[in-house]
Amino acid sequence: MTIDSRRKDEHLRYAEMTNSARQGQLNDFDGVRLLHQALPEQSLAEVDLSTSLIDGLTITSPFYIEAMTGGSKKGGMINKQLASLAAKHHLAMATGSMSIIFKDPTTKPTFEVVRQQNPHGVILANLSANASVDQAAEAIDLVNADALEIHLNSAQEVVMPEGSHDYHWLTNIKKLAARFPVIVKEVGFGMTKENVQLLADNGVAGINVAGRGGTNFAAIESLRGKRIGQTVDWSPLFNWGQSTVESLLEARSTNHRQATIIASGGVQTPADVVKAGALGATAVGVAGFFLHQLNTNSSGLDQLIDDWKQNIQAMVLLAGCHRFTDLVNAPFILNPQLESYVQQRHLKI
Ligand SMILES: Cc1cc2nc3c(=O)[nH]c(=O)nc-3n(C[C@H](O)[C@H](O)[C@H](O)COP(=O)(O)O)c2cc1C
């Protein structure tokens, strides 16, 4: 096994270790409340959950399987399981970072399986912000992707024992966004309104704020580092970053032009999906929580996805909306901590 394939497996292992410890804990989504509307004036069957991941790319479920894996035998097997669930439930799905295929082409089947299992579904190819136009074209082609996800992972790279320490990304992102439909995403540390504005101004099609509250790559890379004898204590970074709710409030305060705002980071319940919609997300990615379900009870994930859809449909109705996309106009209440965040950041929400 190559070092890169091993890293992929370690990410799966340490993500599970850190996420299972976090199950059921409160996060910032608990600081947001939607209001119950006692006069829905519609029937449940009329509620429409379809939305746009990016302009022109419709998805029938507002939540989807966010980027996790591929690049190792185990990653390929997980991708196969997730992709068949995505096909069954009509969920969009992102591959894990495909950068490894350029170093080790034998890993290609571990990504191709995502398209094989889901020939007609919406699939996102995932690469780092350094990817060249040719590499992006190759990755998109390999899985016949509908769009390209580019990840921003500075905090991960800082802690990662073999991480890159050069983070000049914007010029390349602009180049990629001029050629392909590009969604730029964080990996769990969130974004500011300035970040969102800059990305939108540089022509990206979607911005996934991927905030703090779920999978924590500072913790994951620190565990990996310890295993190979790294001595730096990176624990001060474990609470770094904006939560997903804070990041969505930041994004809501921008003129993000044509770029859609997407949420991920710590989404663990259908209520989180609906709250993210109210805060302005057009779609919601779920990574660590689905991985945890797959690890603990893979057949249960099938039922859980059905349950989520029904719960989301009910909550959209009870919030007085006809469509998931109407949630952005639904009133919400923030707890004092989030309200203070909004004030101190001068957010116009
Ligand atoms: C095991 C694992 C591997 C991941 N690998 C990638 C990746 O290759 N590329 C990427 O953009 N994000 C990756 N992520 C980050 C997720 O896509 C997501 O942005 C982040 O985990 C926050 O969502 P969550 O709290 O629902 O896990 C990974 C997440 C997990 C759990």
Side-chain angles (χ1 to χ4, degrees):
M1 189 190 284
T2 64
I3 292 173
D4 294 295
S5 291
R6 179 174 311 220
R7 181 169 63 235
K8 299 283 187 177
D9 282 356
E10 287 177 343
H11 283 163
L12 289 167
R13 176 147 37 98
Y14 292 129
E16 175 58 21
M17 201 188 281
T18 48
N19 276 332
S20 60
R22 200 176 295 113
Q23 292 305 300
Q25 283 182 13
L26 295 183
N27 70 19
D28 258 1
F29 282 109
D30 298 288
V32 181
R33 284 178 53 203
L34 298 191
L35 300 186
H36 172 65
Q37 302 290 353
L39 281 168
E41 296 299 312
Q42 60 173 327
S43 63
L44 193 57
E46 284 167 4
V47 173
D48 180 2
L49 294 190
S50 67
T51 180
S52 299
L53 196 50
I54 52 175
D55 198 18
L57 187 57
T58 301
I59 50 176
T60 54
S61 158
F63 65 93
Y64 67 96
I65 302 169
E66 192 47 279
M68 279 187 275
T69 198
S72 68
K73 193 166 170 231
K74 184 168 183 204
M77 274 158 46
I78 290 176
N79 269 346
K80 186 174 179 186
Q81 284 177 290
L82 291 172
S84 74
L85 284 171
K88 179 172 176 191
H89 295 281
H90 307 289
L91 303 188
M93 174 174 168
T95 69
S97 175
M98 297 175 69
S99 305
I100 193 169
I101 67 169
F102 309 118
K103 276 192 189 169
D104 179 3
T106 66
T107 60
K108 285 182 180 178
T110 67
F111 297 102
E112 284 169 308
V113 68
V114 172
R115 179 51 85 194
Q116 283 155 6
Q117 291 295 310
N118 188 9
H120 309 295
V122 170
I123 290 174
L124 312 175
N126 186 295
L127 285 176
S128 75
N130 294 320
S132 68
V133 166
D134 285 351
Q135 288 175 329
E138 188 178 335
I140 290 170
D141 193 46
L142 191 69
V143 295
N144 192 13
D146 299 277
L148 177 68
E149 275 192 344
I150 292 294
H151 59 259
L152 309 180
N153 65 341
S154 51
Q156 176 187 10
E157 295 282 349
V158 165
V159 179
M160 192 191 294
E162 68 280 47
S164 153
H165 290 170
D166 178 19
Y167 315 110
H168 296 89
W169 288 330
L170 201 54
T171 309
N172 195 47
I173 288 172
K174 187 175 183 180
K175 206 188 291 176
L176 292 170
R179 289 287 298 273
F180 311 102
V182 166
I183 297 169
V184 173
K185 71 186 284 290
E186 241 291 340
V187 298
F189 299 92
M191 293 192 192
T192 61
K193 60 183 175 187
E194 292 82 7
N195 300 155
V196 170
Q197 194 64 61
L198 206 51
L199 289 167
D201 291 348
N202 278 280
V204 307
I207 301 167
N208 180 343
V209 295
R212 180 170 53 76
T215 301
N216 184 327
F217 269 98
I220 291 171
E221 295 300 349
S222 165
L223 283 168
R224 286 189 57 238
K226 284 213 175 90
R227 187 189 61 74
I228 57 174
Q230 194 182 55
T231 51
V232 184
D233 174 12
W234 288 110
S235 59
L237 277 184
F238 292 0
N239 289 321
W240 185 257
Q242 291 81 260
S243 72
T244 301
V245 169
E246 289 166 349
S247 303
L248 286 171
L249 292 166
E250 295 269 347
R252 198 179 167 91
S253 185
T254 65
N255 167 17
H256 47 86
R257 300 167 187 267
Q258 81 295 341
T260 54
I261 300 300
I262 300 170
S264 71
V267 174
Q268 296 191 33
T269 70
D272 296 345
V273 176
V274 173
K275 289 174 186 179
L279 294 171
T282 57
V284 180
V286 186
F289 180 72
F290 282 170
L291 180 66
H292 178 65
Q293 297 302 310
L294 199 67
N295 285 332
T296 46
N297 176 6
S298 60
S299 57
L301 181 54
D302 192 1
Q303 179 64 44
L304 182 124
I305 292 170
D306 264 339
D307 293 352
W308 275 38
K309 284 192 180 175
Q310 294 201 40
N311 274 272
I312 292 168
Q313 195 166 27
M315 285 186 231
V316 170
L317 174 128
L318 297 173
C321 298
H322 296 285
R323 292 174 287 267
F324 179 84
T325 51
D326 293 339
L327 282 169
V328 67
N329 298 316
F332 56 83
I333 304 290
L334 301 177
N335 70 9
Q337 202 179 342
L338 289 167
E339 176 64 13
S340 163
Y341 183 94
V342 168
Q343 280 175 23
Q344 291 183 49
R345 287 285 295 152
H346 307 290
L347 302 180
K348 296 186 187 65
I349 60 166

